[in-house]
């Protein structure tokens, strides 16, 4: 996958993601987050509380709609309902500024939503490559999400930056 991603993303963006994940410097985190978010368009702003609140609201609305509109087998209907409850709790946490606390639930929600959308295919080892080939923009998003650790001990500021990038994509997807 790492070799394939270079066909879609410039090296400086890959380097910015590495810096974002490794750095604890506030300026490096912000600058790297802006470069990575550039993959998903312009208008990404983590410095304004008002912009962040609007992004959280757009993310919540779009992801709720995506979850509700995704057709699933009867056996997964309860999972849809569970994800909607988790999403509501997650958004409440980040609206209160509890970014670090909310990180693990964020990655679980994304995994579960992608499972709803793609079924068992989402759990296969080659799903990231599959996603990249069928929809490069979504594949790049999924590469980004899978680049994140499942757990971290990062600051609220850094957790906020990495989650806002994914929210930015999903709010506009």
């Amino acid at each position: 996958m790492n070799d394939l991603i270079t066909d879609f993303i410039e090296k400086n963006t890959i380097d910015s993601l590495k810096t974002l994940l490794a750095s604890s410097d506030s300026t490096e985190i912000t600058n790297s987050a802006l470069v990575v978010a550039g993959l998903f368009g312009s208008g990404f702003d983590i410095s304004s509380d008002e912009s962040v609140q609007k992004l959280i609201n757009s993310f919540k609305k779009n992801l709720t709609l995506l979850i509700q509109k995704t057709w699933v087998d009867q056996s997964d209907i309860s999972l849809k309902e569970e994800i909607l409850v988790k999403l509501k709790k997650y958004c409440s946490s980040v609206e209160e500024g509890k970014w670090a606390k909310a990180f693990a639930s964020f990655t679980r929600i994304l995994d579960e939503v992608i499972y709803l959308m793609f079924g068992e295919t989402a759990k296969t080892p080659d799903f990231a490559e599959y996603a990249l080939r069928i929809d490069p923009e979504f594949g790049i998003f999924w590469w980004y999400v899978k680049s994140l650790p499942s757990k971290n001990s990062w600051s609220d500021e850094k957790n906020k930056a990495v989650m806002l990038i994914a929210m930015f994509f999903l709010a506009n997807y």
Side-chain angles (χ1 to χ4, degrees):
M1 176 65 181
N2 285 336
D3 291 337
L4 181 59
I5 200 69
T6 60
D7 291 345
F8 295 88
I9 300 175
E10 294 182 19
K11 183 180 179 333
N12 73 318
T13 305
I14 295 170
D15 292 343
S16 289
L17 177 60
K18 290 176 184 176
T19 299
L20 176 62
L21 297 177
S23 182
S24 59
D25 179 77
S26 179
T27 302
E28 281 186 338
I29 291 168
T30 301
N31 292 339
S32 297
L34 291 171
V35 171
V36 174
L39 289 167
F40 308 126
S42 61
F44 182 73
D45 182 6
I46 62 174
S47 61
S48 162
D49 290 341
E50 183 179 332
S51 294
V52 168
Q53 188 57 49
K54 284 181 181 178
L55 181 56
I56 293 168
N57 289 336
S58 293
F59 162 76
K60 183 178 179 182
K61 286 177 187 174
N62 281 5
L63 200 56
T64 297
L65 186 61
L66 180 65
I67 293 165
Q68 290 172 338
K69 298 295 181 186
T70 299
W71 182 87
V72 296
D73 291 330
Q74 187 68 30
S75 60
D76 287 329
I77 289 176
S78 63
L79 177 60
K80 281 175 74 167
E81 293 168 5
E82 289 173 27
I83 297 169
L84 289 170
V85 169
K86 289 177 188 177
L87 178 61
K88 186 176 181 178
K89 287 180 183 177
Y90 165 78
C91 288
S92 292
S93 288
V94 296
E95 286 170 341
E96 295 171 8
K98 299 175 183 174
W99 294 93
K101 181 180 177 188
F103 182 82
S105 64
F106 183 69
T107 57
R108 279 192 305 274
I109 289 168
L110 294 181
D111 281 339
E112 291 170 352
V113 169
I114 300 310
Y115 170 78
L116 285 180
M117 291 173 65
F118 292 94
E120 289 297 321
T121 302
K123 295 183 178 185
T124 62
D126 61 341
F127 177 71
E129 183 176 329
Y130 168 78
L132 197 56
R133 292 186 188 279
I134 62 163
D135 181 350
E137 187 178 32
F138 177 79
I140 291 167
F141 164 74
W142 195 240
W143 164 81
Y144 170 75
V145 169
K146 288 307 181 186
S147 297
L148 302 176
S150 57
K151 295 179 183 176
N152 69 58
S153 57
W154 298 335
S155 67
D156 274 331
E157 174 191 26
K158 185 169 179 172
N159 275 288
K160 177 181 177 181
V162 298
M163 286 189 273
L164 285 176
I165 292 169
M167 283 184 186
F168 182 68
F169 173 81
L170 290 168
N172 297 296
Y173 188 62

